[in-house]
Amino acid sequence: VVTLRQDGKVPAIDLSQDGLRIATAGDDQVLRLWQTRDGRQIWATEQLGSPLKTLDVDPQDRLIAASDVRGAVHVHAMEDGAKKFTLKGHAHPVPVVRFLNAGARLLTAGARSGASNKGRATVWSLTDQSEQLTLNRPHVITAADVNAAGTLLATVEEGDANGHIVRLWSLPGLQPQGQVGDHSEKIRHVRIAPDGNSLVTASSDGTARVFRLTGERITNIRVGLPVRFATFSSDGEQVLTCSVGKGGSAQLWRVNDATEVLHFQGQRNPMWGSLNSMGDWAATSARDGTTCIWPTDPVAIAKRLPIQNTNSADSAPLPKNPR
C-alpha cells in the first residue's frame, strides 16, 4: 500500500506500536521516521558517522535506538528525532538492539570492545546510561533477543557449534538455561514469542523453525532460500520471514501447520521486517533502498476501497467467470 524510498540499502526497520509510524535505518548513516499511511517523511537525522546496522522502537513509542557498523548505539526521541545519547561498549557492527522493561532498559549485543573476535551482550539502564548486566562470551554474538518479561536472554554466537544453536540465559542472574536448535547451517536471527514460551529461528539452511524453550521443535517452515529474518505476530500465531537469494521474498506463515498465509510480491531480497501490534500491517526493507508496507488482510483492505459506478455506456461488463 505504501513504498518508501531512500538512498542506499535499508538494513532494519520497526513499526510503532500503533502502526502509524515506521523508523528506518539507513546505509547512508541516517535514521528516519515516516508516516505509514501516506509515506510522508516526518524527520531525518543528520549523518550519524557510520552506516546504521539495526534499530528498535521502544514499547511506549518514545525512543528509537539504532546501532552502527562501528559499535555505537544512538538513542533518539521518536517525537522529533532529537539525539538523547550514544552508548559505546562494542566493536564493529552491533547486530542486536532491543528495548526491555517497557523501554526502561536496552539490550545490545555483538563484538566486545577491544576484543573484536569475542562477544558481549549488555543490558543498559536508560536512566543514567550505565551497564546493569554484561555477558561476555568467547565468540561474537550475531543474534539475540529478550522475552517480554525481561527474565530470559537468547543468544547466537558466531563460532558456537558453527552458529547452529541458541543459548538461553536467566536475567538478571545470567545463569545458563539450556540450548535450542537443530539447524544444519548458521542461525541468522532469533526472536522470542510474545508469550515467552517459544522462539523462532531464521537460518541459512532455508528454514525458519519454532521451538519450545525446552528444545522441542514445534514447526519447521520450509522457505527454500536462506532466511535472514523471522518474527512473530503479536498473538504468536503467525511468523513473518524474509529470505535472500534469487527469488528471495517476504512471507507470512501459520505457526501451527507451517502453511503460507501470504506471499508479499514485488520486493526482491528483503533484509528485515516488522509487524505492528494489531497485526494488520507488515513492513519489509531491502537492499534497493525501499521499505514496503503491506496489509496482512488484503481482502479487508480491498473491501474498503472506493468502487466507482460502472453503469456507464463506455464500461465493459465483467466476465461471468473471471480468472
Side-chain angles (χ1 to χ4, degrees):
V1 292
V2 174
T3 298
L4 315 176
R5 289 180 172 84
Q6 61 191 70
D7 293 335
K9 63 183 180 183
V10 189
I13 57 175
D14 198 20
L15 285 159
S16 62
Q17 290 297 303
D18 57 18
L20 299 178
R21 293 163 292 176
I22 186 170
T24 63
D27 190 47
D28 60 357
Q29 308 180 25
V30 176
L31 175 66
R32 295 175 174 86
L33 188 70
W34 313 74
Q35 292 277 10
T36 56
R37 296 190 182 279
D38 57 12
R40 179 175 62 87
Q41 183 175 287
I42 301 172
W43 52 255
T45 65
E46 296 180 351
Q47 289 188 324
L48 298 179
S50 297
L52 300 183
K53 176 69 174 177
T54 191
L55 59 75
D56 194 36
V57 174
D58 91 85
Q60 306 299 318
D61 288 344
R62 297 173 302 181
L63 299 172
I64 303 172
S67 67
D68 65 30
V69 300
R70 291 189 177 181
V73 177
H74 312 275
V75 179
H76 291 252
M78 190 167 183
E79 180 181 8
D80 56 8
K83 191 168 186 176
K84 294 293 188 179
F85 48 82
T86 299
L87 303 173
K88 296 182 179 180
H90 296 282
H92 304 296
V94 182
V96 180
V97 175
R98 290 284 284 165
F99 284 100
L100 60 153
N101 295 116
R105 298 194 294 172
L106 185 73
L107 167 70
T108 63
R112 196 183 315 172
S113 181
S116 59
N117 62 334
K118 298 182 182 299
R120 169 174 289 182
T122 302
V123 176
W124 305 80
S125 166
L126 297 186
T127 303
D128 57 7
Q129 296 87 63
S130 62
E131 295 186 25
Q132 292 192 327
L133 299 169
T134 299
L135 175 69
N136 289 320
R137 297 295 298 160
H139 305 287
V140 174
I141 296 174
T142 57
D145 195 24
V146 64
N147 65 347
T151 58
L152 186 72
L153 170 68
T155 62
V156 178
E157 297 177 33
E158 182 72 41
D160 187 2
N162 296 318
H164 297 177
I165 62 171
V166 178
R167 291 187 180 272
L168 303 176
W169 311 86
S170 65
L171 292 175
L174 292 176
Q175 296 300 309
Q177 301 297 304
Q179 62 188 46
V180 173
D182 57 5
H183 288 282
S184 60
E185 295 187 37
K186 181 187 299 185
I187 294 173
R188 305 291 298 275
H189 191 253
V190 61
R191 187 60 54 91
I192 299 176
D195 64 7
N197 295 324
S198 60
L199 59 80
V200 63
T201 53
S203 173
S204 297
D205 66 10
T207 68
R209 297 178 180 176
V210 180
F211 297 91
R212 290 191 174 91
L213 299 185
T214 57
E216 177 188 357
R217 190 205 295 176
I218 300 172
T219 305
N220 183 33
I221 300 171
R222 299 182 183 277
V223 180
L225 290 169
V227 187
R228 181 186 180 93
F229 173 89
T231 191
F232 286 99
S233 59
S234 59
D235 59 10
E237 295 181 359
Q238 296 179 328
V239 164
L240 173 68
T241 63
C242 295
S243 58
V244 296
K246 188 176 181 179
S249 62
Q251 293 157 274
L252 194 65
W253 310 82
R254 277 200 300 266
V255 170
N256 64 352
D257 59 5
T259 298
E260 184 184 75
V261 179
L262 287 173
H263 192 118
F264 301 110
Q265 300 278 9
Q267 189 182 38
R268 295 182 179 178
N269 295 319
M271 303 178 66
W272 202 261
S274 180
L275 290 162
N276 75 318
S277 60
M278 299 298 291
D280 48 357
W281 300 106
T284 57
S285 66
R287 292 182 179 274
D288 61 5
T290 63
T291 298
C292 293
I293 300 170
W294 318 81
T296 57
D297 189 346
V299 174
I301 297 297
K303 287 180 177 178
R304 294 201 297 265
L305 293 175
I307 305 299
Q308 293 182 347
N309 187 342
T310 58
N311 293 328
S312 58
D314 58 348
S315 296
L318 293 174
K320 293 181 180 180
N321 295 303
R323 295 183 181 272

